[in-house]
Amino acid sequence: MNLRKKAVMMVVSAVIAGMAFGMTSLAEEKALTPGEYEATVAAMKGDMTVHVTVDETSITDITIDTVDTKQVVGAVIDTLIPEILDKQSVNVDSVSGATISSYALKSGVKNCLEQAGAAEDQFNEEFKSEAVQGEDQQTQVVVVGSGAAGLSAAIQLKNNGIEDVIVLEKLGYTGGTSAHSSGGAWVVGGTQFNENTGFDYTPDELVAHMYAASEAEEGTLNDALIRKIAEAAPVVFNEYYEAGAPWDLEQYTFGDNLNEMPVAWVKSFYETAWESGAGVDLMDFMARYANEKGVEIRLNSRAASLLTDEDGAVIGVTVEGKEENYNLYADKVVLATGGFQRNTELVEQIAPDCVNVIPFTGAGSTGGGIVMAQELGAYVKGNTIGGARGLDMRLGYQGPIGTLVWYVGPLVNKEGSRFAAETNHYSRNFFDILAQTDSTVYGITDSTNAAADRFDEAVAMGYAVKADTLEELGEAMGLTDVDTFVKTIETYNADYEAGNDDSAFGVAHDAMAPILEAPFYAITTKDVSSFCLAGLAVDENCRILKEDGSEIANLYGAGELICGNITAGYYTGSGSQVGPGMYEGKIIADDIAAGMTE
């Protein structure tokens, strides 16, 4: 047999074998009908509409319309769409941390291709990354995590003359939980914001405020660190604002239950009637500013463990990348990996009372920094999680539907009773709800609500129920005692109509929202967490400590990872994660730079 004939027979055999295993041969591929096609699929926070343009043989363009979180959407647009176009396949790696949105896009593209006449397995060749072991690498400082704390530490390190700074981010995009926030930060120290609002604190006053707002026992917080945060705050805030951070210096709200600490919000926070994830705007600035400073940010790069020498000093991290695994040696390591809400085992270990709390955080909130540091003897200060009322991990308390949990009057539990003042600060209301059966309650409102149309949408989505009588509403809610529910609402209404404050829990008359005009609505409400109130113990320079008070050499912590040092049983208010995390970046950078120049 000549070589040419043998080669032809081998190709034919391969095609037949491929057909036998469900693979598409060249002969089976169909010519596409050129044009633009559209498919609507379910995504993380609602529907995603995918637009696909094709010619006779290929996908030429993909665009999407979606309400998913802006940082996730950005990663899908910037990385996944180009990958599909380049490989001409939907069988490519999803964006790490954006699995649901990635799946939605792929599903929508596949649907459009089918409309265009593609065979079932066309455009489905597998392109999956598989990491190989790479060579060891070296840098001066490695920062693990690209949220507000991590990026700020990297920026401040560059400000201090540290040349080689690498930020590792295990997800496919930067921002962490900070990007899920509204970008608010409290600030003290005489900035223009403090002058405009007329509110400010000295370092000692800030310490006193943190104790009062969190109801911490005297001596349990890291007073020295809080004072250093106060000293760093104006320097960092002014630098970032002058560099383009999108904070509004004129408008503000009080974020704490004491109404003492004003919050500087990102400008886009005020653009809609509900929070729109304005934290993405802030984190986009932070990533851009870090790049301008020369910080190297490596996405899809998970710090799997800490490297140590024979004395137990940290000398780097092991990195698991999308294409390569390697050891990254460094003089110093900064952990800024955020919270642990998405790690059930850690929640049970650290905050067992909060196992029913739904995480509403960045996808990376799995407590990786805590686990790595604990292996070296680090310990956790605090024992709880904070948050607010919300719907679920998809919508939380943001967007046109998620914010409906705040557009209600009385809250009742599954037994049909009210259980606390609905006007309690969200940090306290969180624990009010947590104590109820199944940590589930219902917000009640009526047809006079200005957001009634949105409540109808919530009913259609399964988040709320609607009825023409209170009895029917109680039945639709599945309450165990409908009579108690009816009497509870009637008493509430009677107090209001008599011009009195709420007789059960003291809600002021002008803060009450009576349930008078049918149809009536009830929206299922749970606790969602966006921050941890426990974290690794550190000293005043954010050096991570062991229980005997000694430091783990060369290891620092920042942001939500160390929140237990500055707050306790209750969250100290809006802006208490983003702001301090940024300011701690300067504290860490100053300490590292001082040690390197001694």
Side-chain angles (χ1 to χ4, degrees), residues 157-174:
L157 284 162
K158 298 294 285 190
N159 284 350
N160 275 279
I162 308 300
E163 292 294 328
D164 298 323
V165 181
I166 294 174
V167 174
L168 300 176
E169 173 53 61
K170 67 180 179 181
L171 303 184
Y173 48 85
T174 60

Side-chain angles (χ1 to χ4, degrees), residues 132-181:
V132 299
Q133 187 61 41
E135 296 182 357
D136 294 347
Q137 300 181 31
Q138 180 76 44
T139 188
Q140 287 179 283
V141 183
V142 57
V143 179
V144 184
S146 70
L151 290 179
S152 186
I155 291 167
Q156 296 302 318
L157 284 162
K158 298 294 285 190
N159 284 350
N160 275 279
I162 308 300
E163 292 294 328
D164 298 323
V165 181
I166 294 174
V167 174
L168 300 176
E169 173 53 61
K170 67 180 179 181
L171 303 184
Y173 48 85
T174 60
T177 296
S178 302
H180 282 256
S181 75

Side-chain angles (χ1 to χ4, degrees), residues 457-509:
E457 187 176 348
V459 171
M461 295 172 68
Y463 288 109
V465 293
K466 178 181 180 180
D468 291 325
T469 68
L470 291 175
E471 290 83 358
E472 292 172 348
L473 188 68
E475 294 288 350
M477 292 157 64
L479 301 180
T480 59
D481 193 334
V482 174
D483 289 341
T484 294
F485 168 65
V486 173
K487 291 175 183 176
T488 295
I489 301 303
E490 288 176 345
T491 299
Y492 181 91
N493 289 340
D495 287 340
Y496 180 85
E497 292 183 305
N500 299 325
D501 292 344
D502 161 40
S503 60
F505 298 102
V507 176
H509 181 265

Side-chain angles (χ1 to χ4, degrees), residues 559-575:
E560 189 177 3
L561 180 77
I562 66 166
C563 190
N565 293 269
I566 64 174
T567 189
Y570 293 104
Y571 192 47
T572 48
S574 301

Side-chain angles (χ1 to χ4, degrees), residues 187-266:
V187 57
V188 298
T191 69
Q192 188 63 52
F193 175 73
N194 296 119
E195 292 182 16
N196 291 348
T197 62
F199 293 90
D200 204 353
Y201 281 146
T202 66
D204 284 342
E205 288 171 340
L206 180 60
V207 171
H209 172 83
M210 300 303 277
Y211 274 102
S214 67
E215 298 185 15
E217 182 180 346
E218 194 67 28
T220 58
L221 300 182
N222 191 331
D223 298 15
L225 174 58
I226 296 171
R227 290 189 181 93
K228 282 206 164 191
I229 288 172
E231 293 164 357
V235 179
V236 175
F237 186 87
N238 286 340
E239 177 191 348
Y240 294 170
Y241 180 75
E242 291 169 6
W247 286 309
D248 189 317
L249 300 191
E250 303 295 333
Q251 302 182 79
Y252 68 94
T253 66
F254 288 111
D256 62 297
N257 67 305
L258 304 176
N259 287 336
E260 294 178 352
M261 182 70 84
V263 181
W265 296 103
V266 168

Side-chain angles (χ1 to χ4, degrees), residues 221-460:
L221 300 182
N222 191 331
D223 298 15
L225 174 58
I226 296 171
R227 290 189 181 93
K228 282 206 164 191
I229 288 172
E231 293 164 357
V235 179
V236 175
F237 186 87
N238 286 340
E239 177 191 348
Y240 294 170
Y241 180 75
E242 291 169 6
W247 286 309
D248 189 317
L249 300 191
E250 303 295 333
Q251 302 182 79
Y252 68 94
T253 66
F254 288 111
D256 62 297
N257 67 305
L258 304 176
N259 287 336
E260 294 178 352
M261 182 70 84
V263 181
W265 296 103
V266 168
K267 294 175 183 177
S268 57
F269 172 81
Y270 300 100
E271 292 177 0
T272 65
W274 49 80
E275 296 179 19
S276 58
V280 175
D281 295 339
L282 179 63
M283 296 316 299
D284 281 350
F285 156 75
M286 290 294 291
R288 183 172 64 253
Y289 191 41
N291 283 324
E292 290 172 1
K293 290 283 185 178
V295 174
E296 181 182 353
I297 301 174
R298 297 183 180 179
L299 301 178
N300 300 301
S301 299
R302 174 178 173 264
S305 61
L306 294 167
L307 296 168
T308 59
D309 64 16
E310 62 275 8
D311 296 321
V314 173
I315 56 173
V317 298
T318 59
V319 182
E320 294 179 351
K322 187 174 182 179
E323 298 176 350
E324 187 178 59
N325 300 329
Y326 54 93
N327 292 327
L328 178 57
Y329 290 95
D331 299 319
K332 306 290 181 181
V333 174
V334 181
L335 299 179
T337 54
F340 56 86
Q341 298 95 321
R342 295 183 181 274
N343 185 325
T344 302
E345 184 177 333
L346 276 183
V347 173
E348 292 174 346
Q349 170 191 320
I350 298 171
D353 292 342
C354 297
V355 292
N356 288 332
V357 175
I358 298 168
F360 186 58
T361 67
S365 298
T366 57
I370 290 177
V371 173
M372 287 190 291
Q374 281 182 325
E375 292 174 351
L376 302 184
Y379 73 102
V380 172
K381 285 175 64 72
N383 60 3
T384 192
I385 285 172
R389 66 173 89 165
L391 294 179
D392 58 15
M393 69 174 60
R394 295 177 61 234
L395 304 182
Y397 45 74
Q398 293 182 346
I401 304 303
T403 48
L404 290 178
V405 296
W406 304 105
Y407 286 69
V408 295
L411 294 174
V412 301
N413 55 27
K414 287 193 168 184
E415 291 73 38
S417 299
R418 292 174 63 217
F419 49 90
E422 292 79 9
T423 51
N424 286 346
H425 188 262
Y426 67 84
S427 63
R428 273 63 174 171
N429 190 233
F430 174 88
F431 290 102
D432 296 335
I433 294 172
L434 189 63
Q436 305 311 305
T437 301
D438 297 330
S439 300
T440 300
V441 301
Y442 305 89
I444 313 300
T445 190
D446 68 9
S447 61
T448 65
N449 195 309
D453 288 346
R454 284 193 278 144
F455 274 98
D456 283 328
E457 187 176 348
V459 171

